[in-house]
Structures are given as structure tokens and as C-alpha cells.
Amino acid sequence: MPQATWNPAQYLSVMSWAMFSTTTTSILLALIFFPLTNLGAYLAGWPIGLSITVNVILFIAASLARRDQYVCVSLTAEGIRYTDESESYRRNERLRASDIKKIRVRRNPFFKSLTIDMKEDNQRFFLSNVSLTENFLTEANTLINQAAGNAPQTGLQKA
């Protein structure tokens, strides 16, 4: 059964870049406030500002990459099952294929995000930092089109 799950490897990659950026920013700040050499005059301007900005951006990206850690999206014969197993937000939704408007994957500089748009109430389901099986989007779009009467039957069987 095709699935879309949270991608731990990509999260670790973004987090490692954030840690590297923190180390670099800390070294620059140490050179400014505890001058062993006379580099403080060269580092006090835009280099430290750029380093802090990059650090903030990377930590925001890392927190967004971790947000949907317990979410899983699976294709079923009737549609899509959206499961969130986080402790404070237990959720198990069955989305009928006929109620789904579209499903898409967007790429940002750090990771991919899956978005499921519903036809009614402008409701959306998200999975940030997604790892997809090879045929997930193809089968999902075929399932949605099949429910709308636009495509032939696929290989998905009722369980």
C-alpha cells in the first residue's frame, strides 16, 4: 500500500546545518566579545548579522521539518487515511476519494510537503517533510480521478 511518511533523514540534515550555523555564529561572537586577535572590527558588521539570520532561518526550517513527525498518509481502496499519532493530537481521518479536490507535493529549499485539498469547507491536510513511495502521487491522483469518473480502475483492492 503506497504511503507518505515523515522523513527523519531530511530532518537530521536540516538540523545538522542548523547546528553548524550555531557553531559558526558562536565562534564569530566569541571573536568579537573575547578578542584574541583584532578581528572584532571586521566581524562586527554584516558577517555576524548574516550568520545570525541564517541561524534563525535554519532553526525555523528544522522546527517545521519536525512538526509532522507522527503523521502518516496511506492510500486505501476508498480514498486516503490520514493518521496523526502525536500524544496531544490523536487523529485518524478517512478521506473519501470523491471528497478530495487535489493532492500535491511542494518542494521548498529544505524539504517536500504534501498537501491534500478537500472540496468542501476549504479544508486542508498537510504533511511537512514528507517521504513518498515512488508511485504514491500517481496512484493517489488516479484514485481521485477514478472517484470523479475520469479514469479507469487501478490496481488498488479493497482490504
Side-chain angles (χ1 to χ4, degrees), residues 50-109:
L50 180 63
S51 183
I52 290 171
T53 302
V54 168
N55 199 19
V56 168
I57 290 170
L58 286 171
F59 271 101
I60 289 171
S63 68
L64 290 174
R66 187 172 181 188
R67 176 177 61 181
D68 295 329
Q69 181 176 359
Y70 299 104
V71 174
C72 179
V73 177
S74 305
L75 294 181
T76 63
E78 296 84 24
I80 294 176
R81 183 179 18 199
Y82 181 90
T83 308
D84 188 348
E85 294 293 325
S86 61
E87 258 185 64
S88 62
Y89 192 72
R90 303 250 184 227
R91 186 175 185 181
N92 190 0
E93 300 279 337
R94 291 180 187 254
L95 311 173
R96 291 188 322 210
S98 59
D99 294 338
I100 299 171
K101 185 185 210 177
K102 65 181 167 180
I103 184 168
R104 64 185 184 277
V105 173
R106 289 193 174 166
R107 176 99 175 119
N108 66 40

Side-chain angles (χ1 to χ4, degrees), residues 101 118-124:
K101 185 185 210 177
M118 303 302 287
K119 289 180 181 176
E120 296 179 14
D121 300 329
N122 289 328
Q123 189 175 9
R124 284 188 172 161

Side-chain angles (χ1 to χ4, degrees), residues 91-151:
R91 186 175 185 181
N92 190 0
E93 300 279 337
R94 291 180 187 254
L95 311 173
R96 291 188 322 210
S98 59
D99 294 338
I100 299 171
K101 185 185 210 177
K102 65 181 167 180
I103 184 168
R104 64 185 184 277
V105 173
R106 289 193 174 166
R107 176 99 175 119
N108 66 40
F110 303 105
F111 50 82
K112 296 185 281 188
S113 296
L114 178 73
T115 305
I116 303 169
D117 292 322
M118 303 302 287
K119 289 180 181 176
E120 296 179 14
D121 300 329
N122 289 328
Q123 189 175 9
R124 284 188 172 161
F125 293 87
F126 291 102
L127 174 51
S128 297
N129 188 20
V130 67
S131 174
L132 300 167
T133 56
E134 288 182 25
N135 56 353
F136 181 84
L137 276 180
T138 305
E139 288 194 28
N141 284 320
T142 302
L143 188 64
I144 293 166
N145 289 333
Q146 175 186 331
N150 298 333

